[in-house]
Amino acid sequence: MQLSTEEFRKEQQFVTDLYRRLDDLRDQAGRAVRDALRDVGSGFQARLERDVVVAEQSGLLAALDGGENGLCFGRLEFTDGRDHHIGRIGIRADDADRTPLVLDWRAEVARPFYLATGHSPMGLRRRRHISSRGRTVTALHDEILDLTDAERTGHEGADADAVLLASLDAARTGRMHDIVRTIQAEQDRVIRSSHRGVLVVEGGPGTGKTAVALHRAAYLLYAHREQLARRGVLIVGPGPAFLHYIGGVLPALGETGVLLASPGELFPGVHATGTDRPGAAAVKGRAAMAQVLAKVVADRQGLPETVPAGTGEEYDTVPEPALEIDHDDYGTLLLDRSMAYEARDRARATGLPHNLARPSFAFRIIDALTAQLADRLGADPYGGPNLLGLDDVAQLGKEIATSPAVHAAIDVLWPPLTPRQLVADFLAEPTHLPAHEAELVRRAPSARPQWTPADVPLLDEAAELLGEDDSARRAAEQRDRERRIAYAQGVLDLSEGSQSYEFEDEESEFLAAHDVIDAERMAERHEEADHRSTAERAAADRTWAFGHVIVDEAQELSEMAWRLLMRRCPTRSMTLVGDPAQTSDEAGCGSWRRILEPYAGDRWDLVRLGVNYRTPAEVMEVAAAVLRARDPGFEPPRSVRSTGVRPWARAAGDLAAAVAEAVRQGPPAGGRLAVVAPRALHGALAAVLPGVREGAEPDLTRDVVLLDPRQAKGLEFDTVVVVEPDGFAPSDLYVALTRATQVLGVVHSPGRLPAGLAQASGELLDRR
């Protein structure tokens, strides 16, 4: 016992000293941020250096705050006498050699902590797991890897998985925590994979796909810091509740340059919360919608349809359709069909998007109308050459180019368009679709459309087809810059004129302002700096190219959504995690190969995780029975633990009352409870559940939450009560049943159990 107490004392002293250093670092980082923000500096390079300081030190502060939950969690003792402590971030001593106190878990030397076994010890004699609460060491667990070493500390455990199982059995808090203490070997290989293309991580419920993806993001930011810190990492999750659930993991690991977004938030300025009618999302998600929208844009590049007045009297034949343009000074101009056709053909030949090709169309029309007017005004009655000179024609061109009537006519044939305007108009009148599909997606016109997640890829596609003509904005910026330079030059001129005249005929030994800075640099110094983080800038810029993209529940994304994401990541550096068995979206991908090969060719790889760390074996068998009723050969991931508690089922005429009773009993040892029910039942259930409001975004930190199966994706709770499972699709029911880490209950109407659960009743399910 004395030896055991000494080991505890040494580790506690180490942790105490470590946190003292942590407090010093926090103070230094805080001062660095304050100093950097106070001293803006001059010129682009100074501002860039300041922004780097702020980003790095802010990230360090976030990591130090996360370290309060256990900054150091392990120790490696090598047979050659070396030893290292392992932690969430690397910490060095404040000495001349900058001696490492704690190694970052992502460092190569830390890999034996996750991969070493008795069969392959990787040079280790002992691996220690350190558990702490705040700044207090609460437990030590030593694994002996060199069986020839007779030294013992008193903290050796017979169960090598004790730390993992203790973590899995702990009550949930409503927030995902990092798993750096318990990363398993198969997970570590995925996290550190050197694959440079698209890495697909497939696995059933509870296999740690999400945790692996997040820790892979942290590892890549560590291994490729310069590139990814500049371009950022995008993480796409199924919904706001899920993103809130995982939101603290990366900051706790010191990584803040990450943008988290749901599929409905991937178009700047749009937060898609609407709901599509059944079947509409599948239509909108098909790849063919790209061609449909291209046709819709082409339809907006029109030709004149009206015939000018006076036909039959003034013309020998009926003229082709034309727009009549009233020109105040010179009468009516005719913009005829052949003129517009030629201009449209030339504009389309540029290959530019609609809005960017519009100036080409306008120039052609203006040139054609100028020629028409010049022919009219300069015609020689005797058939000679045109009487107007080049200057005269140029003046006519300027007048036509500034004519509001001419621009109104151009707007009719080639209007400037916005993505929202184009998609809203299309959904109000869905052209180029079969009648039954058009009826599914049709939406009444609205001044403020309620966008759905399936609309977002359409908006992004429309933005690609339309382009943004930012010439007016750039011209305004240039005028503003020239104004600042002119003002700065005036200031410099005044400073020069204010010098004493007694030195005007001899070289002054004093430097004037214009000797050290010119007007352009002075104006630049007073430009308003962009203090936004990489993630904030990326969120506001639709064309931002991310260094890496991670997609959770990737099997749910439509073909159109993949087009959007591939535009966000031209390098195709992506990590996709998902489980085809949990696909619930009617527009889901179906096949990784079919989705990825058109974009990545053979630059993609698939790995599978086969161990379930979350769901107890008793619960997993019930969930598997649901899918086996449809596919007898289905095999779920293998659960690493068994709780000895069988799931239960109860038939009830009053579902709300039965659910309320189950909730009152609560989780066996505290923790969180989720009620997963069809959306149609949420009103009645919210009325009997404490602190739950129907329609509100679920607060996962509360003791009880109410969800539908799609909101529950990727989440976990100590106890789950599934209500009226017969109302779920098989994949949705599979998701709902696999959210529990301890206890699963099912409440249903009498006689209403899906085939798989009915077969499991009595054998795998306790009847109540």
Side-chain angles (χ1 to χ4, degrees):
M1 289 297 296
Q2 182 62 35
L3 186 60
S4 173
T5 302
E6 178 62 19
E7 289 294 319
F8 253 106
R9 189 197 66 77
K10 287 194 299 185
E11 292 294 1
Q12 183 61 61
Q13 184 60 51
F14 176 81
V15 169
T16 299
D17 294 341
L18 185 64
Y19 274 96
R20 187 177 297 117
R21 173 65 178 143
L22 182 149
D23 290 335
D24 291 341
L25 285 171
R26 182 181 284 108
D27 292 341
Q28 293 170 17
R31 286 196 301 272
V33 170
R34 289 192 298 272
D35 292 346
L37 290 177
R38 184 176 60 247
D39 183 16
V40 174
S42 63
F44 174 78
Q45 186 62 34
R47 291 197 304 276
L48 179 62
E49 292 172 357
R50 185 274 321 281
D51 289 344
V52 168
V53 168
V54 172
E56 288 181 347
Q57 299 303 321
S58 297
L60 177 59
L61 286 170
L64 297 179
D65 291 339
E68 294 292 348
N69 297 319
L71 180 63
C72 175
F73 54 80
R75 177 187 172 112
L76 298 176
E77 297 180 21
F78 290 86
T79 54
D80 61 6
R82 291 179 297 136
D83 64 81
H84 298 291
H85 281 87
I86 309 298
R88 284 175 170 79
I89 59 172
I91 302 292
R92 293 180 177 273
D94 192 14
D95 56 23
D97 297 328
R98 303 286 291 158
T99 306
L101 298 176
V102 178
L103 293 179
D104 193 299
W105 66 276
R106 297 165 288 191
E108 187 62 25
V109 73
R111 292 204 76 180
F113 188 79
Y114 303 109
L115 300 181
T117 64
H119 178 70
S120 178
M122 300 178 71
L124 289 184
R125 60 182 288 267
R126 187 189 313 274
R127 173 170 51 204
R128 167 168 290 175
H129 298 268
I130 303 171
S131 300
S132 60
R133 182 176 295 110
R135 303 187 176 203
T136 302
V137 175
T138 58
L140 303 179
H141 181 87
D142 288 343
E143 296 177 66
I144 303 298
L145 296 171
D146 180 4
L147 300 182
T148 64
D149 188 343
E151 181 183 346
R152 295 295 181 266
T153 64
H155 296 285
E156 291 78 14
D159 188 353
D161 293 326
V163 176
L164 171 64
L165 294 175
S167 173
L168 298 177
D169 285 332
R172 269 46 190 174
T173 64
R175 293 286 181 270
M176 179 182 252
H177 296 298
D178 63 68
I179 60 167
V180 289
R181 297 178 64 237
T182 58
I183 292 172
Q184 301 302 293
E186 68 166 358
Q187 297 173 328
D188 184 80
R189 283 189 284 272
V190 175
I191 290 169
R192 299 173 190 262
S193 170
S194 60
H195 186 73
R196 293 300 183 92
V198 181
L199 180 65
V200 180
V201 184
E202 186 178 294
T207 52
K209 301 183 299 297
T210 298
V212 165
L214 293 173
H215 288 70
R216 177 162 171 75
Y219 173 76
L220 291 173
L221 284 163
Y222 174 84
H224 308 285
R225 174 71 61 192
E226 182 177 350
Q227 173 190 352
L228 294 184
R230 184 174 65 254
R231 300 308 312 164
V233 173
L234 170 65
I235 297 180
V236 181
F242 173 83
L243 295 176
H244 196 49
Y245 173 66
I246 68 171
V249 174
L250 287 170
L253 298 174
E255 304 302 346
T256 57
V258 176
L259 174 63
L260 278 69
S262 68
E265 298 170 323
L266 292 175
F267 191 84
V270 169
H271 185 68
T273 58
T275 303
D276 279 305
R277 69 181 71 176
V283 174
K284 295 177 183 179
R286 291 189 292 109
M289 283 301 302
Q291 285 71 47
V292 170
L293 289 177
K295 292 176 181 178
V296 171
V297 172
D299 288 345
R300 305 301 292 271
Q301 300 166 356
L303 300 173
E305 297 294 340
T306 60
V307 177
T311 58
E313 296 180 3
E314 302 176 22
Y315 304 98
D316 295 332
T317 59
V318 176
E320 61 180 317
L323 286 179
E324 295 185 349
I325 304 172
D326 291 328
H327 196 287
D328 293 339
D329 297 327
Y330 304 108
T332 301
L333 299 173
L334 290 181
L335 200 170
D336 61 43
R337 194 176 183 85
S338 60
M339 187 188 302
Y341 184 87
E342 194 263 346
R344 185 179 73 173
D345 193 49
R346 293 293 186 91
R348 287 177 174 176
T350 65
L352 295 172
H354 174 88
N355 288 331
L356 299 183
R358 185 174 180 273
S360 175
F361 178 83
F363 292 151
R364 290 286 175 178
I365 294 298
I366 290 169
D367 286 347
L369 291 176
T370 300
Q372 180 185 119
L373 186 56
D375 287 343
R376 182 193 304 171
L377 297 179
D380 184 348
Y382 301 104
N386 195 295
L387 300 178
L388 297 179
L390 294 179
D391 291 343
D392 298 323
V393 174
Q395 183 59 37
L396 290 178
K398 290 179 181 179
E399 294 178 12
I400 288 178
T402 57
S403 167
V406 171
H407 283 282
I410 292 172
D411 286 347
V412 169
L413 300 180
W414 198 294
L417 297 170
T418 67
R420 299 190 199 196
Q421 175 189 356
L422 184 79
V423 174
D425 290 348
F426 166 72
L427 294 176
E429 190 54 49
T431 57
H432 304 292
L433 286 177
H436 67 285
E437 292 186 354
E439 195 54 39
L440 284 176
V441 304
R442 193 184 306 278
R443 181 185 302 160
S446 171
R448 301 185 66 182
Q450 187 176 24
W451 302 108
T452 72
D455 294 333
V456 168
L458 303 186
L459 291 167
D460 198 72
E461 190 72 29
E464 285 291 303
L465 292 167
L466 296 176
E468 180 185 359
D469 183 2
D470 61 350
S471 57
R473 176 182 59 79
R474 287 188 285 107
E477 290 176 350
Q478 180 62 25
R479 288 193 298 272
D480 186 57
R481 182 171 182 272
E482 291 172 354
R483 179 190 57 78
R484 289 196 306 271
I485 292 174
Y487 179 82
Q489 186 63 57
V491 172
L492 292 175
D493 291 345
L494 286 174
S495 68
E496 182 180 2
S498 64
Q499 295 183 77
S500 173
Y501 283 105
E502 63 181 287
F503 298 111
E504 64 180 14
D505 293 328
E506 56 186 270
E507 185 176 348
S508 173
E509 63 184 49
F510 299 102
L511 289 176
H514 64 270
D515 293 321
V516 295
I517 191 170
D518 59 23
E520 187 170 348
R521 290 184 60 200
M522 185 175 181
E524 183 184 74
R525 181 170 185 171
H526 291 279
E527 287 180 11
E528 190 171 332
D530 188 350
H531 298 298
R532 294 176 301 171
S533 67
T534 298
E536 290 170 332
R537 293 197 300 273
D541 184 355
R542 191 194 68 82
T543 63
W544 189 276
F546 288 92
H548 193 78
V549 171
I550 291 175
V551 185
D552 205 308
E553 303 294 348
Q555 77 279 353
E556 302 290 351
L557 296 188
S558 69
E559 293 171 317
M560 288 298 292
W562 284 115
R563 286 177 64 88
L564 179 156
L565 284 176
M566 292 301 173
R567 283 193 282 267
R568 300 293 192 274
C569 191
T571 62
R572 307 293 187 258
S573 177
M574 309 175 84
T575 302
L576 315 178
V577 297
D579 178 15
Q582 297 183 62
T583 304
S584 58
D585 197 293
E586 55 194 1
C589 73
S591 164
W592 300 121
R593 182 176 300 278
R594 181 171 63 84
I595 288 296
L596 295 176
E597 282 193 346
Y599 300 104
D602 61 355
R603 291 183 60 242
W604 69 281
D605 195 16
L606 172 66
V607 296
R608 290 182 173 87
L609 301 176
V611 179
N612 186 332
Y613 300 99
R614 174 180 67 221
T615 315
E618 295 84 353
V619 173
M620 201 64 225
E621 277 301 307
V622 172
V626 171
L627 294 189
R628 286 194 182 117
R630 184 177 58 179
D631 177 10
F634 173 74
E635 284 298 326
R638 177 179 59 84
S639 295
V640 299
R641 65 193 178 108
S642 173
T643 61
V645 179
R646 295 174 69 189
W648 56 266
R650 176 184 175 187
D654 187 342
L655 293 174
V659 170
E661 176 59 28
V663 170
R664 277 193 292 272
Q665 295 176 7
R672 265 59 182 177
L673 183 149
V675 176
V676 185
R679 180 68 67 170
L681 298 178
H682 279 208
L685 294 173
V688 300
L689 296 177
V692 173
R693 290 190 299 112
E694 182 187 8
E697 193 65 39
D699 180 357
L700 301 180
T701 63
R702 298 187 67 89
D703 293 339
V704 178
V705 294
L706 175 63
L707 308 165
D708 63 35
R710 299 193 182 190
Q711 288 177 310
K713 276 185 176 292
L715 307 181
E716 59 183 22
F717 304 89
D718 300 276
T719 296
V720 173
V721 178
V722 177
V723 184
E724 205 68 303
D726 197 41
F728 298 154
S731 57
D732 282 345
L733 181 54
Y734 183 62
V735 169
L737 295 172
T738 54
R739 300 305 98 192
T741 64
Q742 300 291 339
V743 177
L744 171 66
V746 177
V747 176
H748 62 96
S749 298
R752 289 194 63 185
L753 267 183
L757 289 184
Q759 294 166 8
S761 182
E763 179 184 354
L764 302 174
L765 273 170
D766 278 339
R767 300 294 298 177
R768 290 188 178 181

